[in-house]
Amino acid sequence: MQEWRTEQGPVMASPAWAALSAHHAEIGGRTIRELFGAEPGRPTRMSLDAAGIHADLSKHRATDETLRLLVSLAEERGLPARIDAMFSGARINTTENRSVLHTALRIPRGESLVVDGVDVVAEVHAVLDRMEAFCDRVRGDEWLGSTGKPIRAVVNIGIGGSDLGPVMAYRALRHQSRRDIDFRFVSNVDGTDIVEATQDLDPAETLFIVSSKTFTTQETMTNAFTARGWLLSGLGPDADVSKHFVAVSTNAGEVEKFGIDTANMFGFWEWVGGRYSMDSAIGLSLMLAIGADAYRDLLAGFHAVDEHFRHTDLDRNLPVLMGLLGVWYRDFFGAQTHAVLPYEQYLERFPAYLQQLTMESNGKRVTIDGDPVGVDTGAIWWGEPGTNGQHSFYQLLHQGTTLVPSDFILFAQPVNGVGDHHDKLISNVLAQAHVLAFGRTADEVRADGVADDLVEHKVMPGNRPSTTLMLDRLSPYALGSLVALYEHLVLAQGVVWGVNPFDQWGVELGKVMAGQLLPALTADELPDLSHFDPSTAALALRYRSLRGR
Ligand SMILES: O=P(O)(O)OC[C@H]1O[C@H](O)[C@H](O)[C@@H](O)[C@@H]1O
């Protein structure tokens, strides 16, 4: 595979950027109310469907012309060529000289994609088949622990992309999961995490999945060693640990060093970034929970959005349009954050999952060529499931001084159709998006007979943009489609800004420093702390003294 190069230059130099600035000066002050008043066909024109996701983009501070200019910007920034390059396996992750091929994880069996002489689709399906065979054995009580008992608890040990995807997806689909098997997720190096996750488990019935792309991550390896100690202290020093530990990794050497038989290792590839890996073997815990057929439905949902992203013109391309609207608010309205508000309890960890996906990808200050980006990049992503958020932070969304573009996610069919809960849930989400966009004027408040001194307090400024995503039912397919939507949104934004959304050098220095501080905190001899800043040195000394060292 040829080394891949791009000459993008700064985004502000794009003619479309200048056109967008002028356009913003012209229409940025118009309200969503005014836009709706002027354009009666907005909801129809500004809604689109992709892979079972219905998206209403009409409640945005944007006109047809805004979208046209944003699409021109994406074209000028070379987005179509980058999409092709990614799907074909070019090494678009230039700072790590890697291909970016999470999309190959969901190419259907029988198709082929040859990268560096290897058919990656065949490799992907070989791993999926091994995962399926393993999951069938565990779920069929054929895989037995060292004392002959079937597995009744699965503990995934991983962090970052090796945790957030698995735990999010498990919680999202636990209505389809094996309820007689306990699924737990341990990530934090804080010992409380593993202690609480294991304290009521029977080691004889427990399977640990050590999930780590590199198999060197401090938190994961520390938790894995502690888990092994817990197992041996429960089952005795001669217990067959191999019956209780499997690994998911790209690093067979380190897996072996840890003592896990590579026969019980499920591999993936360096071209799958950690935060793009939930549908690789990193999803083993999910496949154990929901079974292989449902897991393949999840992959089909991913693939459907991949096809949409790859083959749809930019002006009808959902991840592209959502990504571009994010750039519009971030850079032309100064919006610093973006909220994701799923009206679906099972998606409780979806915002946390998206935080890594979006912020580790586009939280960058230099372009792919190493020059300052010159404009604001990745927003702060956050959110909570509705309706809970309505009773805490929505006050700020409605009447605060900060613009927070929001995504509302809802499903027409309830998973748990109890009483009238679901209709109430949906009435809430539609009401919130309506009030955010259209607000309530002083005249309308007065017309309700509100006393003069309270009118301003009750005015709802509105004009707060949102996207509404409506799907039919929260299925594995739907979940896959939603994740792929946001994966590709991230690429679209990264290409416009000119950053590399696939590296994460910013997380490294803190790890190195922690490695240097650890011996200073624990050494018997008072260490030389002069190479740390005085504040850190004083805190380290205080910690030592409080720990009696
Ligand atoms: O899967 P691992 O190699 O253990 O990595 C786990 C995580 O740690 C790193 O610090 C990265 O910031 C993440 O992108 C990654 O997902």
Side-chain angles (χ1 to χ4, degrees), residues 431-466:
Q432 291 298 327
H434 165 78
V435 172
L436 282 169
F438 295 94
R440 195 138 215 260
T441 64
D443 286 346
E444 288 167 341
V445 174
R446 265 189 220 103
D448 270 356
V450 171
D452 274 356
D453 58 344
L454 270 186
V455 167
E456 276 311 315
H457 295 278
K458 293 204 166 190
V459 164
M460 304 289 278
N463 206 21
R464 290 152 197 244
S466 68

Side-chain angles (χ1 to χ4, degrees), residues 159-162 212-215 217 274-275 356 360 504 507 511:
I159 198 165
S162 300
S212 174
K213 179 175 174 182
T214 55
F215 230 72
T217 303
R275 54 192 174 276
Q356 187 202 17
E360 203 170 64
Q504 60 284 319
V507 301
K511 291 185 196 171

